[in-house]
Amino acid sequence: MLPFSRVAIIGLGLIGSSLARAVRLHMPTVRLVGYDGSAAVRARVDELDLLDDIADTPGAAVIDADLVVLCVPVGQMGAAIEEMRADLPKGAIVSDVGSVKASVAALAGLIPEGVHFIPAHPVAGTEKSGPDAGFAELFHQRWCILTPLPGTDETAIERLAEFWKRLDSKVETMDAQHHDLVLAVTSHLPHLIAYSIVGTASDLEGVTRSEVIKYSAGGFRDFTRIAASDPQMWRDVFLANKDAVLEILQRFTEDLTALQRAIRWGDGDTLFNLFTRTRDIRRTIIDAGQDTAAPDFGRDHR
Amino acid sequence: MLPFSRVAIIGLGLIGSSLARAVRLHMPTVRLVGYDGSAAVRARVDELDLLDDIADTPGAAVIDADLVVLCVPVGQMGAAIEEMRADLPKGAIVSDVGSVKASVAALAGLIPEGVHFIPAHPVAGTEKSGPDAGFAELFHQRWCILTPLPGTDETAIERLAEFWKRLDSKVETMDAQHHDLVLAVTSHLPHLIAYSIVGTASDLEGVTRSEVIKYSAGGFRDFTRIAASDPQMWRDVFLANKDAVLEILQRFTEDLTALQRAIRWGDGDTLFNLFTRTRDIRRTIIDAGQDTAAPDFGRDHR
């Protein structure tokens, strides 16, 4: 028995279109309806034949859904809910895929009585954007974190968890504040650092941009991948998760300053000890199935 | 006509063993001799059959070489030259693969009269170490930077350039100081940042190490790859290229502080504008053949 039979996806970019493909692959009998604010995206999704129906308004997309998944940037969640709230059927579950959860949970007051609201975050993505970039396997063996508000109906939570498990995701539940701190470490700070270093490197006197490009295989190119992620999505993440990002950034800056001092004073032992510790963490991530063991992420060297 | 007929490789880790394999692949008639300070590494290279001969001492390895390539950490280059200098034949070229060049160029006084000395740096590598990690294609379409000292014999420089081109590398020449500044940007700072952020994430109150591992696909795991690189090699790089690394690190810190301020004050435009600029740089790197266009570096999602 499937957890849902009529799923509406609002926002059809990388994540929304991957979700559509994943539902088609794993639950082919589910009726899939979608909406995107961009007419060009709606037309492209139609060409790609990812959905049973593409609605002209958010309200029309959700009118008979038993699950609605918001796949828009965090800063647009509120407006998306406003646009559809009058058409949400009683008993439906509204969820989302945003990378920040406390700011989404704060929108609970917009949800009509009798509709369940369970913020969620599948920890998966690539640096690409748009409906052509999506693929059905994006969520395979990745974690989806549910952050239900206190008092949420347990059966509704279980149905949403079952939905993600059907897509081959692993499911964890935590409160929204803790989610935002954990993701500040594992996702938001890495993106901020990557954006920052790519900005620094592209704007230096003494080293040309052409040199940065040519010799990027020395390490720099690794940072350019996540620094190519969707600008609007990431702007919204940093604005919505300000407190946790600033807290973790402060910790990072302290640690980097300690390394700077070790280099200035020629303290090789401090450097060597850290560099040995960090090696172990990669091994653990690979053992946990969260990255490839192939050198260079398995890039083709031929 | 081959640029060299008898090549000696001193140090048989990732780079040295890749060089041996690459010479075998592209110039199979070259006689290859090698040496490594570790008896275990020498035995393993023997099992892998990477060389025509494995010498018991550095002197025995170089005694009839026309090219000697030092593939040891930058901090060991001086000792390696001392150990072999009495046995270097007249007319031979001594080169290296170190990631820092001014500190290697400073060793020129140790090279006997009549022997050419041309520091070099193939900008290639992976996060793995040791002779089993090497492969012949490591240098394909990567840049090798030669940093000859003023007055170096032009024919010797041309022969070394031809050697790297035969291995399918692209060759560039610049002075050692400029090399060290360019690589501080494209390689040394990225490694320092990666080591630092992985250290920060593994040592936080409020977020467990298990959580960091589980949700690392949000971006963090990208940093763990280069933070798994050889600790001794990288300790030496930071100590040997102190001035350039500290200069570039200062620039990075300023830029990161500006981003921190933009987040604190809710300045979304500054964030959005940077994030849009950095996207272009990745496209340029891919167009230049220095990274893969496949999402997620081509990691397998199945």
Side-chain angles (χ1 to χ4, degrees), chain B residues 272-295:
Chain B
F272 186 82
N273 292 339
L274 172 67
F275 301 172
T276 306
R277 262 202 312 136
T278 53
R279 210 167 210 196
D280 293 339
I281 294 181
R282 178 150 188 87
R283 202 168 306 133
T284 319
I285 287 176
I286 290 167
D287 292 345
Q290 295 302 306
D291 209 344
T292 173

Side-chain angles (χ1 to χ4, degrees), chain B residues 248-267:
Chain B
I248 297 296
L249 181 53
Q250 182 59 36
R251 273 297 302 266
F252 170 76
T253 305
E254 287 169 25
D255 292 348
L256 185 61
T257 302
L259 281 186
Q260 184 172 4
R261 192 171 182 281
I263 293 172
R264 195 178 299 281
W265 290 91
D267 176 4

Side-chain angles (χ1 to χ4, degrees), chain A residues 16-26 48 50 131-136:
Chain A
S17 75
S18 291
L19 187 59
R21 291 171 171 101
V23 171
R24 274 275 170 87
L25 176 66
H26 293 285
L48 292 168
L50 300 181
D132 284 283
F135 53 97

Side-chain angles (χ1 to χ4, degrees), chain B residues 105-212:
Chain B
L107 303 172
L110 298 175
I111 303 290
E113 192 100 14
V115 175
H116 305 287
F117 181 51
I118 310 174
H121 177 206
V123 183
T126 79
E127 70 277 24
K128 310 280 182 178
S129 308
D132 284 284
F135 53 97
E137 300 82 2
L138 181 62
F139 311 108
H140 283 187
Q141 292 303 300
R142 296 281 90 85
W143 288 89
C144 183
I145 303 174
L146 311 188
T147 62
L149 287 87
T152 302
D153 181 71
E154 285 297 330
T155 310
I157 298 172
E158 278 164 33
R159 285 173 70 199
L160 187 62
E162 176 63 21
F163 174 79
W164 282 103
K165 288 177 189 165
R166 295 271 184 146
L167 305 182
D168 199 20
S169 284
K170 306 194 264 193
V171 175
E172 186 64 85
T173 300
M174 63 179 75
D175 73 64
Q177 297 290 347
H178 186 62
H179 167 280
D180 289 357
L181 184 65
V182 171
L183 270 289
V185 179
T186 62
S187 180
H188 307 172
L189 181 66
H191 277 78
L192 189 71
I193 298 294
Y195 280 124
S196 190
I197 193 174
V198 174
T200 302
S202 67
D203 195 22
L204 284 171
E205 62 286 6
V207 179
T208 68
R209 192 174 156 127
S210 154
E211 288 173 322
V212 169

Side-chain angles (χ1 to χ4, degrees), chain A:
Chain A
M1 170 105 176
L2 294 174
F4 302 99
S5 59
R6 296 177 310 282
V7 174
I9 301 174
I10 309 299
L12 298 167
L14 168 69
I15 304 293
S17 75
S18 291
L19 187 59
R21 291 171 171 101
V23 171
R24 274 275 170 87
L25 176 66
H26 293 285
M27 293 176 272
T29 61
V30 166
R31 179 169 160 77
L32 268 176
V33 182
Y35 173 78
D36 192 283
S38 153
V41 168
R42 291 199 300 274
R44 182 61 189 146
V45 168
D46 196 19
E47 280 171 22
L48 292 168
D49 192 24
L50 300 181
L51 300 168
D52 296 301
D53 197 19
I54 301 175
D56 290 330
T57 65
V62 306
I63 201 153
D64 64 353
D66 49 8
L67 173 66
V68 177
V69 188
L70 301 169
C71 303
V72 298
V74 171
Q76 293 177 23
M77 295 281 181
I81 296 172
E82 302 262 19
E83 286 183 307
M84 69 172 66
R85 62 194 302 271
D87 295 295
L88 285 167
K90 294 264 178 221
I93 295 174
V94 174
S95 187
D96 77 310
V97 298
S99 302
V100 184
K101 294 273 65 79
S103 67
V104 174
L107 304 171
L110 298 176
I111 303 289
E113 192 101 15
V115 174
H116 306 287
F117 181 52
I118 311 175
H121 177 206
V123 184
T126 78
E127 70 276 24
K128 311 279 182 178
S129 308
D132 284 283
F135 53 97
E137 300 83 2
L138 181 61
F139 311 108
H140 282 186
Q141 292 304 298
R142 295 281 91 86
W143 288 89
C144 183
I145 304 174
L146 311 187
T147 62
L149 287 88
T152 303
D153 181 71
E154 285 297 329
T155 310
I157 298 172
E158 278 162 34
R159 285 172 70 199
L160 186 62
E162 177 63 21
F163 174 78
W164 282 103
K165 288 176 188 165
R166 295 271 184 146
L167 305 182
D168 198 21
S169 285
K170 305 194 266 193
V171 175
E172 186 65 85
T173 300
M174 62 179 75
D175 74 63
Q177 296 291 346
H178 186 62
H179 167 279
D180 289 357
L181 184 65
V182 171
L183 271 288
V185 179
T186 63
S187 179
H188 307 172
L189 180 65
H191 276 78
L192 189 70
I193 298 294
Y195 280 123
S196 191
I197 193 173
V198 174
T200 302
S202 68
D203 195 23
L204 283 172
E205 63 284 6
V207 178
T208 68
R209 192 174 158 130
S210 154
E211 288 173 322
V212 169
I213 304 295
K214 280 165 80 170
Y215 310 120
S216 61
F220 178 72
R221 62 178 178 163
D222 278 25
F223 291 72
T224 63
R225 187 187 78 78
I226 62 178
S229 301
D230 189 74
Q232 186 183 354
M233 172 194 153
W234 281 98
R235 176 198 63 195
D236 287 4
V237 165
F238 294 118
L239 298 179
N241 199 22
K242 179 169 94 170
D243 293 343
V245 168
L246 291 177
E247 181 184 333
I248 297 297
L249 181 53
Q250 182 59 36
R251 273 297 302 267
F252 169 75
T253 304
E254 288 169 25
D255 292 348
L256 186 62
T257 303
L259 281 186
Q260 183 171 5
R261 192 172 181 279
I263 292 171
R264 197 178 296 282
W265 290 91
D267 176 5
D269 289 347
T270 292
L271 300 175
F272 186 83
N273 291 339
L274 172 66
F275 301 172
T276 306
R277 258 197 320 132
T278 53
R279 210 168 210 195
D280 292 340
I281 293 179
R282 177 148 188 88
R283 203 167 306 134
T284 319
I285 287 177
I286 290 166
D287 291 346
Q290 295 302 308
D291 208 344
T292 174
D296 255 342
F297 301 117
R299 284 180 179 112
D300 188 2
H301 278 272
R302 273 62 188 168

Side-chain angles (χ1 to χ4, degrees), chain B residues 13 62 123 125 188 213 269:
Chain B
V62 306
V123 183
H188 307 172
I213 303 296
D269 289 347

